[in-house]
């Protein structure tokens, strides 16, 4: 018989709020071990085990290889001691908070077991919208501080009833130490309010009445897990039109929620990978292919001019119950007006959206930290985040630099996130949005403060974009001056994109194509079509697009036909396109735009591939006015679907001794091709040329310099056709293709790249 031993075990990772202590308890009891388990204020789980050596090793094997489904075991440290004669195993009170340093779990969808309880007439949880257990439910959005125990969450406002207390204290129950446990007798409650805040119904009646209003063509705001959605019947074009008019979103695509996969497959194509992602416990919005022979007409109102449609499945009990009263898919879009963060409480819903909604379904559980839905799409079998938020935040990402430096990064200006280091890793925040107004600045500050408290991070340095006029740059200066944090370290935008890819893929160097709409270049011009020889600490511009002008600056972005004045050389054709594209009203005004270009008056210089694609979209009359970010290029992508790439020789030029794609010649050639070929064929040719031209240059640089990998990042990487073309060209050359999987290629990944660069530069100083 083996001698008894005593082991103390310290476990890091995602181990709080995921049923880890109950798992440890059951595993210890199954192995006849004595001891205890507790959460610590710095995010660890500490375990004491006493029993035979074989039983202790069996326990450790299970812990490492078969932990709870929502956990992520990081470091497991084991120390041996002499036995102390312990008897029995217990879960003891958590160690008090020491200021963070823990790993906070993300919110997850209702698990199958809780969904069964929701539908079980013999369960006290039947039809209770806030049903949850250790394997599911809200986490990040309800946590105030670590350790993750009920008193440190917004559930502290709801004392457990006797039945819930019994479940909570029963090690054999899956709600054992489930901090969000609640039932109709003791948990959060629902109310349906009219636009003035008057209560129309409560409890189950509130859900039923909300469903009836949705089915009747009304607009309802629904407060959910981490925020609020504006909701309406997706199959009713009239109510969708009314939603657009009331929110000022004339063309922006709306996300949908469908009750089940069968419904999704009735209007969109779903691959095996997409099916798995839709039903995954994280429940992202997926951009699916909406092309079908029997495409329903209502889809055009939801996603105008696009072949993709964003879809998610229900992830809360409230969603499932609403669909009991509504047939088919619902529009589920973030509940905010332009420039204002998503509403998260009754007061802000009524104040911000009173003129939009007909009613609102709210609950009385506080949302401690708002968290938008995550958005992703699959390209070539690879997932790409458009927005990394609910379900993934605040999971950490690797920091490939060995450093003790703690960094706060504030990201870019649009689609912003922030990021903080924590014990050798990086924690990006949830999606914050466009940081260009006081309300979003306040949200950014709130997010930084909350993450700093939870993670226990006291930054040594703050990093930001190199653009001098970004509000995030101003905020970085204020953090540096007000709190004595070093910096700001200002990072060139496209280097941050490249570094985010290198860090994610844990590479030291690659030739990286960084393609997007706007980024402040090292020379003060607007970059956006770059081939970079990049490391984490530095980069060299080794190719890209030729320069062209943006007549009127922002006006050229809003009405991209203006850009054609700098890319075409036929005066009559330019004037025609400017008038027809709505950039100007008369030929005289068109002549003024041309003179701007000739004289260099208010005509910022750019190499932006996003702006080039916008110009082609206007040239082909696909989209001549931008009402939301990325609209012209996105609609060009849809117009190109089904088109054939024409036989066309890629035009190149030279800039400071490096090869570049000649943007002006390309547009002039496309204009000529459009006289004899379809819009789809010319659009497909434009995308192929931009992709192949950039890829050819990147491959050539990689081969010349002995670099074994080419990457693709930036907002243009969301384009499926362009990404496929670049990856195929790189792989044909025998090089590794690097694409994003864990963070967005767009500006939502910038903060991660800024952290990587700041730490890399510090380590080389």
């Amino acid at each position: 018989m083996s001698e008894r031993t005593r082991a103390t075990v310290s476990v890091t990772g995602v181990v709080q709020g995921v049923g880890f202590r109950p798992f440890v308890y059951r595993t210890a009891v199954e192995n006849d071990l004595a001891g205890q388990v507790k959460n610590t204020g710095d995010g660890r789980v500490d375990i004491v085990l006493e029993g035979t050596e074989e039983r202790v090793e069996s326990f450790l094997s299970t812990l490492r290889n078969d932990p709870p489904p929502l956990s992520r075991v990081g470091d497991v440290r084991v120390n041996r001691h002499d036995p102390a004669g312990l008897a029995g195993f217990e879960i003891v009170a958590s160690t008090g908070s020491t200021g963070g340093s823990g790993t906070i779990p993300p919110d997850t969808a209702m698990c199958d077991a809780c969904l069964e309880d929701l539908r079980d007439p013999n369960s006290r949880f039947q039809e209770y919208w806030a049903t949850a257990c250790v394997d599911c439910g809200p986490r990040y959005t309800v946590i105030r501080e670590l350790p993750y125990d009920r008193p440190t969450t917004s559930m502290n406002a709801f004392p457990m009833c006797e039945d819930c207390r019994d479940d909570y204290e029963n090690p054999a129950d899956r709600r054992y130490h489930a901090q969000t446990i609640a039932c109709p007798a003791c948990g959060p409650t629902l109310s349906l309010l009219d636009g003035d805040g008057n209560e129309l119904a409560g409890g189950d009646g509130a859900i039923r009445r909300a469903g009836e209003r949705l089915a009747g063509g009304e607009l309802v705001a629904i407060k959910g897990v981490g925020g609020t959605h504006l909701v309406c019947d997706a199959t009713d074009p009239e109510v969708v039109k009314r939603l657009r008019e009331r929110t000022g979103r004339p063309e922006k695509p709306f996300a949908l929620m469908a009750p089940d996969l069968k419904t999704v497959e009735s209007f969109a194509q779903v691959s095996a990978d997409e099916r798995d992602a839709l039903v995954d416990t994280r429940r992202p919005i997926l951009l699916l292919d909406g092309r079908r022979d029997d495409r329903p007409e209502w889809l055009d109102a939801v996603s105008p001019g696009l072949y993709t449609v964003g879809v998610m499945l229900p992830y809360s009990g409230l969603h499932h119950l609403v669909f009991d009263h509504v047939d088919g898919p619902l529009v589920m879009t973030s509940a905010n007006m332009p420039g204002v963060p998503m509403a998260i409480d009754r007061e802000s819903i009524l104040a911000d959206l009173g003129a939009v909604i007909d009613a609102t379904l709210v609950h009385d559980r506080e949302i401690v930290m708002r968290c938008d839905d995550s958005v992703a799409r699959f390209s070539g079998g690879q997932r790409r985040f458009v927005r990394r938020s609910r379900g993934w935040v605040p999971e950490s990402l690797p920091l490939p630099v060995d450093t003790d430096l703690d960094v706060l990064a504030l990201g870019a200006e649009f689609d912003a996130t922030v990021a903080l280091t924590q014990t050798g890793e990086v924690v990006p925040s949830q999606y914050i949005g466009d940081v260009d107004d006081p309300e979003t600045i306040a949200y950014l500050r709130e997010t930084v403060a909350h993450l700093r408290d939870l993670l226990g991070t006291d930054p040594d340095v703050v990093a930001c974009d190199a653009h001098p006029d970004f509000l995030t740059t101003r905020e970085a200066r204020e953090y540096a001056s007000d709190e004595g944090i070093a910096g700001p370290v200002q990072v060139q935008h496209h280097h941050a994109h490249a570094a985010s890819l290198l860090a994610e893929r844990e590479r030291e160097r690659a030739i990286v194509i960084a393609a997007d709409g706007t980024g402040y270049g090292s020379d003060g011009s607007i970059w956006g079509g770059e081939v970079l020889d990049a490391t984490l600490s530095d980069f060299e511009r080794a190719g890209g697009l030729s320069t062209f002008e943006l007549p009127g600056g922002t006006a050229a972005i809003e009405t991209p036909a203006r850009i054609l004045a700098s890319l075409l050389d036929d005066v009559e054709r330019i004037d025609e396109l400017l008038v027809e594209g709505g950039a100007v009203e008369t030929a005289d005004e068109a002549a003024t735009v041309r003179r701007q270009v000739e004289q260099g008056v208010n005509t910022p210089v750019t190499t932006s591939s996003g702006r080039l694609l916008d110009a082609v979209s206007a040239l082909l009359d696909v989209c001549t006015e931008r009402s939301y970010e990325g609209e012209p290029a996105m609609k060009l992508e849809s117009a190109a679907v089904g088109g054939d790439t024409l036989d066309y020789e890629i035009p190149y030029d030279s800039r400071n001794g490096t090869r570049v794609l000649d943007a002006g010649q390309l547009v002039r050639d496309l204009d000529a091709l459009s006289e004899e070929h379809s819009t789809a064929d010319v659009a497909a040719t434009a995308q192929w040329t931009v992709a192949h031209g950039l890829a050819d240059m990147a491959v050539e640089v990689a081969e010349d310099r002995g670099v074994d990998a080419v990457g693709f990042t930036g907002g243009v990487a969301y384009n499926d056709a362009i990404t496929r073309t670049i990856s195929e060209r790189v792989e044909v050359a025998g090089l590794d293709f690097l694409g994003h999987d864990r963070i967005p290629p767009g500006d939502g990944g910038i903060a991660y790249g800024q952290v990587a660069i700041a730490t890399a530069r510090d380590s080389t100083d």
Side-chain angles (χ1 to χ4, degrees):
M1 185 175 182
S2 298
E3 294 185 359
R4 289 177 66 83
T5 186
R6 182 168 176 259
T8 56
V9 184
S10 179
V11 188
T12 63
V14 181
V15 290
Q16 292 194 12
V18 291
F20 205 82
R21 287 178 301 169
F23 155 78
V24 167
Y25 178 94
R26 291 190 296 271
T27 306
V29 170
E30 290 168 2
N31 283 281
D32 195 27
L33 296 171
Q36 64 180 38
V37 59
K38 67 178 179 181
N39 284 343
T40 69
D42 58 3
R44 302 189 321 271
V45 168
D46 285 348
I47 308 166
V48 177
L49 303 170
E50 192 165 309
T52 66
E53 182 67 28
E54 290 86 355
R55 297 287 189 168
V56 170
E57 287 300 320
S58 173
F59 173 94
L60 293 173
S61 176
T62 301
L63 183 146
R64 291 187 175 103
N65 300 316
D66 193 22
L70 300 183
S71 68
R72 180 167 59 85
V73 174
D75 188 36
V76 180
R77 297 186 180 183
V78 182
N79 292 303
R80 302 290 182 168
H81 309 274
D82 293 333
L86 300 179
F89 197 92
E90 61 179 339
I91 296 177
V92 300
S94 302
T95 303
S97 174
T98 59
S101 303
T103 301
I104 309 103
D107 294 0
T108 58
M110 173 178 276
C111 67
D112 290 342
C114 282
L115 186 56
E116 289 180 9
D117 287 343
L118 187 79
R119 301 304 191 191
D120 184 356
N122 297 315
S123 170
R124 77 175 193 278
F125 300 103
Q126 184 194 16
E127 296 192 353
Y128 181 56
W129 68 275
T131 300
C133 70
V134 295
D135 292 331
C136 69
R139 301 288 197 276
Y140 176 62
T141 55
V142 298
I143 295 174
R144 299 188 193 281
E145 60 180 291
L146 291 175
Y148 175 60
D149 284 325
R150 196 177 184 96
T152 61
T153 74
S154 58
M155 288 300 296
N156 190 45
F158 306 96
M160 285 180 269
C161 66
E162 184 175 343
D163 288 335
C164 283
R165 175 63 64 179
D166 288 344
D167 290 346
Y168 183 85
E169 296 177 350
N170 178 7
D173 197 286
R174 77 172 194 282
R175 292 186 173 85
Y176 183 48
H177 281 233
Q179 308 306 335
T180 54
I181 186 175
C183 74
C186 64
T189 59
L190 290 169
S191 298
L192 181 70
L193 313 176
D194 64 18
D196 295 322
N198 301 309
E199 184 168 278
L200 302 174
D204 295 342
I207 298 175
R208 176 179 53 79
R209 293 278 298 278
E212 291 171 351
R213 284 177 168 252
L214 288 169
E218 293 192 9
L219 297 170
V220 179
I222 298 181
K223 180 183 175 184
V225 176
T228 306
H229 289 112
L230 291 173
V231 187
C232 69
D233 181 356
T235 67
D236 183 348
E238 287 302 314
V239 68
V240 173
K241 178 182 178 182
R242 195 157 64 250
L243 176 60
R244 293 193 178 283
E245 291 171 345
R246 292 183 182 181
T247 58
R249 301 173 187 172
E251 293 285 318
K252 191 172 185 177
F254 290 138
L256 304 182
M257 180 177 283
D260 48 46
L261 272 173
K262 183 179 179 181
T263 302
V264 176
E265 291 172 336
S266 71
F267 61 82
Q269 299 182 49
V270 186
S271 69
D273 287 336
E274 289 166 340
R275 187 175 294 108
D276 290 343
L278 282 169
V279 301
D280 184 84
T281 186
R282 300 170 188 261
R283 290 292 201 280
I285 298 170
L286 277 190
L287 299 183
L288 301 175
D289 189 336
R291 291 175 295 155
R292 302 176 59 93
D293 293 337
D294 56 347
R295 176 183 169 101
E297 292 184 5
W298 58 262
L299 207 54
D300 293 330
V302 170
S303 192
L306 302 178
Y307 79 96
T308 56
V309 57
V311 187
M312 60 181 158
L313 294 178
Y315 57 84
S316 73
L318 183 55
H319 297 146
H320 288 285
L321 293 170
V322 166
F323 276 113
D324 287 347
H325 307 283
V326 181
D327 294 327
L330 295 169
V331 167
M332 285 263 183
T333 190
S334 295
N336 62 282
M337 297 300 287
V340 180
M342 177 174 55
I344 57 173
D345 56 44
R346 177 186 311 217
E347 292 72 25
S348 61
I349 293 170
L350 294 173
D352 297 345
L353 302 166
V356 175
I357 59 176
D358 300 305
T360 179
L361 181 61
V362 296
H363 57 77
D364 55 359
R365 181 180 67 206
E366 180 189 359
I367 296 172
V368 175
M369 182 53 60
R370 61 169 62 81
C371 195
D372 282 87
D373 297 314
S374 292
V375 184
R377 74 180 298 183
F378 279 80
S379 175
Q382 186 73 45
R383 181 191 64 198
R384 313 279 183 214
F385 277 114
V386 178
R387 188 165 72 199
R388 181 184 183 271
S389 204
R390 177 187 51 77
W392 279 269
V393 172
E395 286 185 358
S396 61
L397 297 173
L399 178 61
V401 180
D402 186 10
T403 178
D404 293 327
L405 189 75
D406 278 326
V407 178
L408 162 64
L410 298 186
E413 183 175 49
F414 299 111
D415 293 334
T417 63
V418 300
L420 285 159
T421 56
Q422 182 205 33
T423 60
E425 295 185 310
V426 184
V427 179
S429 75
Q430 73 276 23
Y431 171 80
I432 294 174
D434 296 346
V435 186
D436 55 1
D437 58 80
E439 289 85 357
T440 316
I441 280 288
Y443 179 27
L444 180 144
R445 292 172 180 164
E446 178 187 2
T447 301
V448 169
H450 189 63
L451 279 176
R452 285 180 66 176
D453 288 344
L454 289 178
L455 302 176
T457 296
D458 190 11
D460 302 305
V461 65
V462 60
C464 63
D465 196 273
H467 198 299
D469 298 328
F470 278 179
L471 293 185
T472 48
T473 304
R474 187 194 70 183
E475 284 296 299
R477 295 192 192 104
E478 293 189 7
Y479 275 109
S481 63
D482 295 348
E483 300 191 32
I485 301 173
V489 175
Q490 292 188 259
V491 178
Q492 198 282 321
H493 188 87
H494 300 95
H495 186 205
H497 273 308
S500 72
L501 182 58
L502 292 175
E504 178 185 348
R505 301 299 297 270
E506 300 186 68
R507 293 282 189 134
E508 294 182 359
R509 181 186 180 190
I511 306 302
V512 178
I513 300 168
D516 61 4
T518 300
Y520 188 76
S522 301
D523 58 2
S525 68
I526 300 170
W527 291 7
E530 316 306 324
V531 175
L532 306 178
D533 184 349
T535 65
L536 290 178
S537 59
D538 205 356
F539 74 96
E540 178 188 350
R541 200 179 186 197
L545 297 187
S546 65
T547 58
F548 54 97
E549 290 78 31
L550 301 176
T554 301
I557 297 173
E558 301 301 329
T559 52
R562 281 178 168 264
I563 305 172
L564 297 171
S566 71
L567 294 167
L568 297 174
D569 51 17
D570 183 327
V571 171
E572 291 184 2
R573 180 65 171 148
I574 291 172
D575 291 355
E576 175 189 353
L577 289 168
L578 286 172
V579 174
E580 290 181 352
V584 297
E585 293 184 1
T586 66
D588 287 343
E589 291 176 347
T592 300
V593 174
R594 285 190 284 104
R595 284 195 295 272
Q596 277 186 286
V597 177
E598 294 167 2
Q599 299 171 6
V601 178
N602 190 21
T603 53
V605 175
T606 187
T607 55
S608 167
S609 50
R611 299 289 85 86
L612 176 60
L613 294 170
D614 288 353
V616 175
S617 188
L619 174 74
L620 301 179
D621 198 30
V622 171
C623 180
T624 58
E625 184 176 355
R626 189 184 83 153
S627 66
Y628 61 88
E629 187 177 355
E631 180 183 1
M634 289 168 62
K635 289 186 173 178
L636 182 70
E637 179 185 4
S638 291
V641 171
D644 295 321
T645 302
L646 302 172
D647 187 14
Y648 176 68
E649 184 175 348
I650 301 173
Y652 291 106
D653 198 353
S654 178
R655 180 186 64 212
N656 299 325
T658 61
R659 190 158 64 122
V660 294
L661 178 63
D662 190 333
Q665 188 61 55
L666 171 60
V667 171
R668 291 190 289 274
D669 291 344
L670 293 172
D671 191 31
L673 290 171
S674 68
E675 295 178 5
E676 299 181 2
H677 299 278
S678 70
T679 296
D681 288 352
V682 178
T685 302
Q687 292 185 153
W688 180 90
T689 304
V690 171
H692 225 286
L694 291 171
D696 282 349
M697 287 182 279
V699 167
E700 180 181 284
V701 172
E703 291 175 339
D704 287 348
R705 302 186 181 193
V707 181
D708 64 356
V710 171
F712 184 31
T713 185
V716 176
Y718 294 130
N719 184 299
D720 184 40
I722 292 177
T723 297
R724 286 175 180 269
T725 299
I726 292 176
S727 64
E728 290 169 2
R729 175 67 181 91
V730 171
E731 289 165 357
V732 165
L735 301 171
D736 291 340
F737 174 74
L738 307 181
H740 288 284
D741 171 57
R742 300 179 65 185
I743 64 163
D747 283 4
I750 285 285
Y752 180 45
Q754 291 171 349
V755 170
I757 290 168
T759 54
R761 288 178 179 172
D762 178 75
S763 68
T764 58
D765 288 344

